[in-house]
Amino acid sequence: MSAGVELDRVTVRFGEFTAVDNATLDIKGGEFFSFLGPSGCGKTTILRTVSGFLEPTHGHVRIGGQDMSGIGPNKRPTALIFQNLALFPLMSVAENITYGLRVRGVDKASRRKKADELLDLIALPGQGDKLVSELSGGQKQRVAIARALAVQPKVLLLDEPLSALDLKLRQHMRSELRSIQQKVGITFIYITHDQGEALTMSDRIAVMSDGVIQQIGDGKAVYDAPTTAFVASFVGENNPFPGIVAQADDNYATVDTAFGRLRGRNPRGAKAGDKAILFVRPESARLGQGETDTTFASTVKNVAFEGNMTHVYLEGIGKKDVTVSVGRRSSMTIPAPHEATPICYDAELGIVLPEGMLARE
Amino acid sequence: MTSKMIMRGMIGFYILLFFGYLFGPLAVMGITAFNTPNYPQAYPFEAFTLDWFVKLWNHRSMMDGLKNSIIIGIGVVAISVPVGLAASIIMSQIYHRARGLYYLVTISPLLTPGVIIGISTVIFWKDVMSVTDLTKGLFYKGIILTILGQASFVSAYCLLIFMARLTRFDRAQEEAALDLGASYPQVFWHILLPYLKPAVVSAVVIGFLSSFENYNTTTFAILADKTLVTVLAGEVRQGTTPALSALAVIIIGISLLGAIGYEIAKRREQTRADRAYRQAQIAERDEVEAIA
Amino acid sequence: MSSRAFVFIIPVIVIAIFWVMAVREAKRRPDPTRKGFFERNGVVLGSVFIALVAFWTLFLVALPYLYMVVESFHPALPPMKRGGPDDVVTIAQYSSFVVNPTIGAVNWLHMSALLFSIIASIAVTALNFAICYPLAYYMAQAGTPQKIRLLMLGLIVPYWVNEILRAFSLRLLLASRGLINQALMGLDITDAPIDFLGNNTGLYVGLSYAYLLVMMFPLYNAIESLDKNQIEAARDLGAPWWRIHRDVVIPYAKPGIASGCTMVFMLSVGSLAAPQFLGGPRTLWFTAVIYDFFFQSFNWPRGAAYAFIMLIVCIALVMAMLRLFKVSLGEAIK
Ligand SMILES: Nc1ncnc2c1ncn2[C@@H]1O[C@H](COP(=O)(O)OP(=O)(O)O)[C@@H](O)[C@H]1O
Ligand SMILES: [Mg+2]
């Protein structure tokens, strides 16, 4: 059984500091929903507000349509996987997994049965009597998930659960998490600062910055159709060209940038005279001459071959850096360093967004 | 090279001196417990005897004192360990502006001379208990006053012991238990208390020992009763007998046994932890191989 | 009884003030992480915690101290007359410390007892620091973990033997028939036994011996957390060893040193056993004066007044020292 989670104009303040600012969103039951944002942007705060450790300063959290105000964390139909897992070191694996049942007064025999069931689900059969300290990182991870699932929550909250694992294992656990979610069918709310994780696993993503939700959408929307400068610069690589909008219509706008007058799509309806940033992704740009309002001059600085891609780092007018990524199949010849070359792109792959804060590298 | 060796020799010599200072007097006293002369004498060693231990056993008031000391020790531990535990929990939750005063009050018994604790306990409780004749008859007793006086500073020791362990407690565990549906009292009994168990053991041992060997507070609070230490003080004041040395030998013997027991327990725990660590390493390796 | 009843009101007022402040602050600035005390601990457990701590801090600490202070401002009266018309508030007990009421002359005896206790305790504190510092430094910076465990055990075991027996053991060594005099005479260094107890050597040794551990642990803890690389760096710069200690180790370990010295000093001034059993016959330790008021002249108020004087003088001295060496009280009693 799953339940949707609704945030209704939720604001959380610590004293004068606003950690979450007026967040409104509607997560559907059974959805795999991610919050993506740099560290310190308020992701954990949102999760702790949903699980009941924090009361919002303003606004409401509703789970399954029911207002959660005044309901403590131990009374909510959520389960949280902590950033450091927070397994109980003095209990065995099975005791950990069934702790939630123990406090609900379930008898020992049924607890044992449930533990075996869950140990099978997380592929650790027969390991219930081990100590937590005897497990590997990935095994601990799975025990934490089993412990949370044992109480049959309607919503599972995961706070950067993979950040402690090494790279290989992290990628393996992504697919495992996704398959567990599909098996149990409950709502997953997942927090991460790693866009790869968010993009591969989630049905929808909320991108956050400084306590503000910037954009909500599926991975494709967030990547291909960012609605703010922050999202465009945070999700995937992007080349920003700030400037003033020269002319605009409903579909396209041209921006006077340091590289000249350049054109791109205009999803946010920028008007002439607005400050704006044109974004062109490295893989959308090509080395070579195109139309005048989608081409600019540059000089190659260096070239990095990365197997499937080759990244060309260039320097445009005013020493501004630009990156172009060239796919393997491309027939483009890559110039040597210090050679001058024009760069062009298709106008529908450039995107003009209102000026705003960019993600820090 | 040679200067280093001289340095090392000097450090060794210094440590030898230091522990000579620490153990020398006790060793000399130990020898006198087994020597026959009436005056505790280490040299010349006239003849080996165990008579002084028998004398000690037959020393009525010392045995009475011992009994009282044990009762007081148990009473003090029974009060101070729960108080110290509660005080440490309140320390972590108290209103932040009141924390300074709270800390000062709870820690002050450690800085107050024991004499003053003893005096203030007697003066205060004498009047409080004298409110009715019944309470005075029931409670105005040396043993009870001593328990109260000692509990005042032993609780502070316990508080420090619990605080030291609490600062290393991972609050996320508390939250994890809550999140799984535990009530706040359940969190205390299932998570916090088991975590604090080693500190409880330390607090019991240290609390009992410091009660057992306390003199300054006890000598005022004990009134007409006696503890082992006050009896000892009387004996030492009157003169010297090797029976006292015999007592010291017993105490040192028990301490050494305790120390060895502690060491063994520590080693065992270490081996267990090492084994768990090795298993985790193996599991880690297998996991990486399974993915690759 | 009214002045004594006043004692019970003070804590109530203090607690009430903080209560009001807390409630007002919670209203003005709500904190999303904050939970009420009973909400966090449950009503039953929370009440038990509060009851235990209230019993301790009020009935075992604050009230007895305050009560003792109030008592010291009363005359010594037989039980019948307490609370009667003679039971007035007076500073007679304090003035008797300065002017002896029976003979009307300046009370040199008691004042010099206090002075002697304090000076001797300062000397003992300095002595213990000098003895413990090298070993604490060695253990903290150079020892292997096994060696340290062994040394620790060696430090702690002797302290399971109580104060009285330790004083007794020193007496066996230092008495005129004791082992040291036997040795000295056996080696023909002296012909007559040296009176170590009469000349107070026994007292100093006894006090130092009693509180060695109290100095050792704070020193060790403080030096232990000092980064070894800092010392290495100083050594690489060619600093001689004494400068490393003066410029690097001691400034770093200052809070630990302050804490060890404060505790040894306070314990030493307040000690009863060592002066009783190892002091010379003409030596008067201040706690012994207090002891006699209780057990010989049964003048509790005067004993209480003297105890309070001792406490105030000691605390003032410690605070002055801490200020001189620029250590905050919080660091020293951590
Ligand atoms: N209990 C708290 N008191 C004060 N500030 C806090 C508290 N918890 C978090 N913050 C602040 O709120 C901001 C968001 O924190 P958090 O939600 O943990 O970020 P994230 O999980 O995205 O890294 C941070 O700047 C942090 O310093
Ligand atoms: Mg976080």
Side-chain angles (χ1 to χ4, degrees):
Chain A
M1 218 194 358
S2 69
V5 176
E6 236 178 290
L7 300 189
D8 183 4
R9 284 165 293 154
V10 168
T11 296
V12 184
R13 287 209 184 95
F14 297 108
E16 308 299 309
F17 178 76
T18 305
V20 175
D21 193 6
N22 204 17
T24 298
L25 52 81
D26 191 354
I27 300 169
K28 292 181 205 52
E31 191 173 14
F32 196 123
F33 191 94
S34 292
F35 285 93
L36 171 65
S39 128
C41 71
K43 305 179 300 285
T44 300
T45 304
I46 284 201
L47 211 60
R48 292 171 65 80
T49 311
V50 173
S51 59
F53 290 107
L54 297 174
E55 284 289 334
T57 318
H58 302 294
H60 299 276
V61 175
R62 280 185 280 271
I63 300 178
Q66 202 187 342
D67 189 1
M68 288 287 129
S69 317
I71 297 181
N74 47 3
K75 301 260 161 46
R76 296 193 181 188
T78 57
L80 177 58
I81 310 268
F82 287 77
Q83 202 156 3
N84 69 352
L85 304 185
L87 294 175
F88 307 128
L90 300 176
M91 299 183 193
S92 71
V93 167
E95 283 170 334
N96 260 285
I97 292 179
T98 56
Y99 182 74
L101 304 176
R102 178 176 160 203
V103 298
R104 282 171 176 70
V106 176
D107 66 277
K108 248 200 170 110
S110 329
R111 259 150 56 194
R112 191 76 234 187
K113 226 180 100 218
K114 187 77 192 174
D116 290 339
E117 226 172 81
L118 281 162
L119 284 166
D120 284 341
L121 176 78
I122 59 169
L124 282 176
Q127 312 234 32
D129 291 326
K130 278 199 171 172
L131 290 175
V132 173
S133 55
E134 291 171 345
L135 302 181
S136 70
Q139 289 172 332
K140 282 184 191 151
Q141 193 71 60
R142 281 178 276 185
V143 171
I145 293 168
R147 182 177 73 175
L149 292 177
V151 298
Q152 296 184 322
K154 294 178 178 161
V155 181
L156 191 68
L157 309 166
L158 304 98
D159 189 352
E160 311 209 15
L162 304 184
S163 55
L165 303 182
D166 68 42
L167 187 67
K168 269 249 162 62
L169 197 55
R170 216 179 311 161
Q171 286 174 349
H172 173 78
M173 285 299 287
R174 282 182 195 173
S175 52
E176 199 162 313
L177 268 179
R178 184 71 192 164
S179 82
I180 288 177
Q181 196 255 344
Q182 274 153 3
K183 225 178 284 176
V184 295
I186 60 174
T187 314
F188 271 41
I189 301 183
Y190 189 93
I191 276 189
T192 181
H193 64 263
D194 178 333
Q195 41 178 305
E197 272 174 25
L199 293 173
T200 48
M201 290 194 283
S202 326
D203 295 322
R204 281 195 302 159
I205 301 169
V207 183
M208 281 184 78
S209 145
D210 285 332
V212 178
I213 294 181
Q214 299 273 337
Q215 182 175 358
I216 301 171
D218 60 18
K220 209 167 148 39
V222 168
Y223 191 86
D224 287 339
T227 55
T228 69
F230 179 83
V231 176
S233 60
F234 185 71
V235 182
E237 296 294 318
N238 230 331
N239 294 307
F241 302 94
I244 309 279
V245 177
Q247 66 183 66
D249 57 36
D250 285 351
N251 296 320
Y252 288 94
T254 52
V255 182
D256 281 328
T257 73
F259 294 80
R261 181 167 290 192
L262 296 173
R263 201 156 77 102
R265 274 190 295 132
N266 184 15
R268 295 280 301 270
K271 282 186 273 303
D274 288 353
K275 287 184 175 175
I277 305 176
L278 169 76
F279 289 93
V280 178
R281 291 199 184 275
E283 72 269 18
S284 306
R286 292 187 313 268
L287 302 173
Q289 188 71 40
E291 286 166 45
T292 42
D293 57 0
T294 55
T295 305
F296 55 90
S298 74
T299 313
V300 177
K301 273 203 323 200
N302 59 53
V303 177
F305 176 70
E306 206 183 68
N308 59 340
M309 282 275 189
T310 303
H311 300 294
V312 186
Y313 299 102
L314 307 105
E315 200 172 82
I317 295 152
K319 298 214 176 292
K320 295 257 165 59
D321 287 341
V322 183
T323 309
V324 174
S325 298
V326 181
R328 221 176 157 66
R329 298 252 178 77
S330 165
S331 55
M332 253 182 271
T333 48
I334 293 165
H338 308 305
E339 257 178 66
T341 171
I343 298 174
C344 68
Y345 60 94
D346 295 341
E348 61 266 35
L349 294 179
I351 183 160
V352 177
L353 295 169
E355 185 188 48
M357 216 191 37
L358 301 183
R360 290 173 289 274
E361 283 299 307
Chain B
M1 182 65 212
T2 46
S3 82
K4 213 170 208 172
M5 266 162 68
I6 292 172
M7 199 67 190
R8 201 169 273 179
M10 266 166 58
I11 291 171
F13 183 67
Y14 179 79
I15 292 177
L16 212 69
L17 265 187
F18 189 94
F19 282 97
Y21 180 40
L22 220 53
F23 282 96
L26 300 178
V28 170
M29 178 163 61
I31 296 170
T32 65
F34 300 100
N35 199 0
T36 45
N38 259 328
Y39 179 83
Q41 161 182 321
Y43 180 87
F45 196 85
E46 289 175 9
F48 181 84
T49 177
L50 291 176
D51 278 358
W52 301 115
F53 289 87
V54 180
K55 284 240 166 59
L56 182 69
W57 179 251
N58 292 328
H59 197 305
R60 268 299 300 276
S61 59
M62 227 182 272
M63 286 301 135
D64 287 349
L66 177 66
K67 202 181 76 196
N68 285 346
S69 288
I70 291 173
I71 293 172
I72 291 170
I74 292 172
V76 167
V77 166
I79 294 177
S80 294
V81 174
V83 165
L85 177 60
S88 69
I89 288 170
I90 289 185
M91 181 76 80
S92 63
Q93 298 182 9
I94 196 168
Y95 171 51
H96 64 106
R97 285 189 207 289
R99 185 171 295 139
L101 180 68
Y102 177 72
Y103 188 72
L104 193 71
V105 170
T106 53
I107 233 66
S108 65
L110 297 182
L111 294 172
T112 313
V115 176
I116 293 179
I117 296 178
I119 293 171
S120 61
T121 303
V122 175
I123 293 180
F124 175 71
W125 285 102
K126 180 165 190 212
D127 277 6
V128 170
M129 286 166 174
S130 303
V131 166
T132 66
D133 286 340
L134 181 69
T135 48
K136 186 171 183 188
L138 278 178
F139 299 120
Y140 188 63
K141 293 201 173 76
I143 291 187
I144 292 179
L145 287 191
T146 306
I147 290 177
L148 293 174
Q150 290 184 353
S152 125
F153 62 88
V154 173
S155 298
Y157 289 140
C158 295
L159 167 64
L160 290 185
I161 293 171
F162 286 119
M163 261 169 65
R165 192 155 170 87
L166 265 184
T167 53
R168 279 174 286 144
F169 180 63
D170 174 17
R171 291 268 157 216
Q173 283 191 31
E174 217 171 71
E175 295 185 338
L178 276 178
D179 192 60
L180 292 168
S183 64
Y184 284 94
Q186 277 174 327
V187 172
F188 176 78
W189 293 110
H190 296 163
I191 310 294
L192 195 60
L193 203 57
Y195 171 79
L196 288 175
K197 207 173 92 187
V200 172
V201 174
S202 311
V204 167
V205 172
I206 289 173
F208 186 84
L209 287 179
S210 39
S211 156
F212 193 82
E213 61 169 47
N214 179 267
Y215 177 60
N216 290 6
T217 299
T218 309
T219 189
F220 286 93
I222 197 67
L223 305 176
D225 288 333
K226 52 187 171 253
T227 68
L228 183 65
V229 172
T230 60
V231 173
L232 272 177
E235 292 288 319
V236 174
R237 212 174 289 130
Q238 275 164 31
T240 46
T241 149
L244 299 180
S245 309
L247 179 66
V249 168
I250 293 174
I251 293 177
I252 294 172
I254 293 175
S255 314
L256 280 177
L257 283 183
I260 292 169
Y262 175 79
E263 190 64 23
I264 291 174
K266 262 259 134 69
R267 292 242 164 113
R268 249 196 222 143
E269 198 180 303
Q270 190 61 46
T271 2
R272 260 206 303 272
D274 288 347
R275 199 171 46 216
Y277 180 74
R278 275 199 305 278
Q279 290 209 7
Q281 294 279 299
I282 293 169
E284 199 86 46
R285 217 187 44 219
D286 292 351
E287 188 165 62
V288 172
E289 273 168 18
I291 298 171
Chain C
M1 282 305 267
S2 66
S3 63
R4 294 192 177 93
F6 181 63
V7 163
F8 293 86
I9 299 170
I10 297 173
V12 176
I13 294 173
V14 171
I15 292 172
I17 290 173
F18 278 116
W19 191 277
V20 170
M21 273 166 64
V23 168
R24 282 186 48 182
E25 192 164 311
K27 275 224 187 85
R28 221 179 44 237
R29 254 178 112 214
D31 176 354
T33 52
R34 196 77 200 154
K35 292 238 149 55
F37 182 79
F38 290 106
E39 205 183 333
R40 269 187 76 164
N41 302 286
V43 176
V44 176
L45 216 52
S47 309
V48 170
F49 288 165
I50 288 193
L52 284 171
V53 172
F55 175 71
W56 175 40
T57 53
L58 295 181
F59 285 88
L60 299 185
V61 183
L63 289 176
Y65 291 176
L66 293 172
Y67 204 81
M68 183 193 85
V69 173
V70 171
E71 187 70 19
S72 71
F73 285 101
H74 283 84
L77 294 170
M80 305 274 63
K81 290 196 175 169
R82 275 165 65 85
D86 293 341
D87 203 2
V88 291
V89 174
T90 165
I91 58 158
Q93 312 301 355
Y94 290 88
S95 63
S96 75
F97 175 71
V98 186
V99 180
N100 187 333
T102 43
I103 53 173
V106 176
N107 197 347
W108 291 120
L109 183 69
H110 292 165
M111 289 202 281
S112 62
L114 181 59
L115 196 66
F116 173 67
S117 305
I118 286 173
I119 291 174
S121 296
I122 291 174
V124 166
T125 307
L127 178 68
N128 272 8
F129 175 68
I131 294 177
C132 289
Y133 182 80
L135 187 63
Y137 176 76
Y138 170 76
M139 273 172 48
Q141 291 294 318
T144 60
Q146 296 98 313
K147 231 190 254 172
I148 289 172
R149 265 237 298 268
L150 195 71
L151 288 175
M152 285 280 181
L153 223 57
L155 284 173
I156 293 170
V157 165
Y159 283 86
W160 289 3
V161 178
N162 66 58
E163 228 179 321
I164 310 287
L165 284 175
R166 270 184 282 147
F168 175 67
S169 74
L170 282 178
R171 221 157 96 171
L172 295 185
L173 278 180
L174 297 170
S176 47
R177 293 171 62 186
L179 199 64
I180 291 182
N181 272 318
Q182 276 179 326
L184 290 178
M185 290 195 294
L187 296 171
D188 279 330
I189 296 172
T190 59
D191 349 310
I194 301 174
D195 188 7
F196 288 118
L197 299 178
N199 68 14
N200 279 337
T201 309
L203 175 60
Y204 301 132
V205 174
L207 287 171
S208 145
Y209 190 60
Y211 307 122
L212 217 48
L213 206 63
V214 176
M215 181 65 86
M216 195 68 200
F217 281 106
L219 282 189
Y220 170 76
N221 285 333
I223 303 176
E224 205 241 339
S225 60
L226 173 63
D227 188 359
K228 285 194 177 88
N229 294 329
Q230 276 196 37
I231 297 171
E232 282 305 316
R235 197 167 285 151
D236 286 346
L237 292 174
W241 65 270
W242 57 269
R243 289 215 38 183
I244 294 177
H245 285 278
R246 199 194 64 184
D247 298 343
V248 180
V249 186
I250 292 184
Y252 179 82
K254 213 161 66 174
I257 295 171
S259 151
C261 289
T262 303
M263 297 224 278
V264 171
F265 174 75
M266 292 300 278
L267 284 170
S268 173
V269 175
S271 80
L272 202 53
Q276 259 179 7
F277 306 125
L278 295 165
R282 290 172 310 280
T283 307
L284 192 55
W285 203 257
F286 198 65
T287 52
V289 177
I290 299 174
Y291 187 88
D292 284 345
F293 280 127
F294 270 79
F295 293 102
Q296 309 235 299
S297 45
F298 298 101
N299 189 341
W300 288 16
R302 199 165 169 197
Y306 275 44
F308 191 53
I309 290 172
M310 177 173 91
L311 188 64
I312 293 296
V313 171
C314 288
I315 289 177
L317 210 71
V318 167
M319 300 285 261
M321 281 303 192
L322 291 180
R323 174 150 302 175
L324 190 66
F325 290 106
K326 300 197 174 66
V327 186
S328 76
L329 185 67
E331 284 177 304
I333 60 177
K334 206 157 41 191

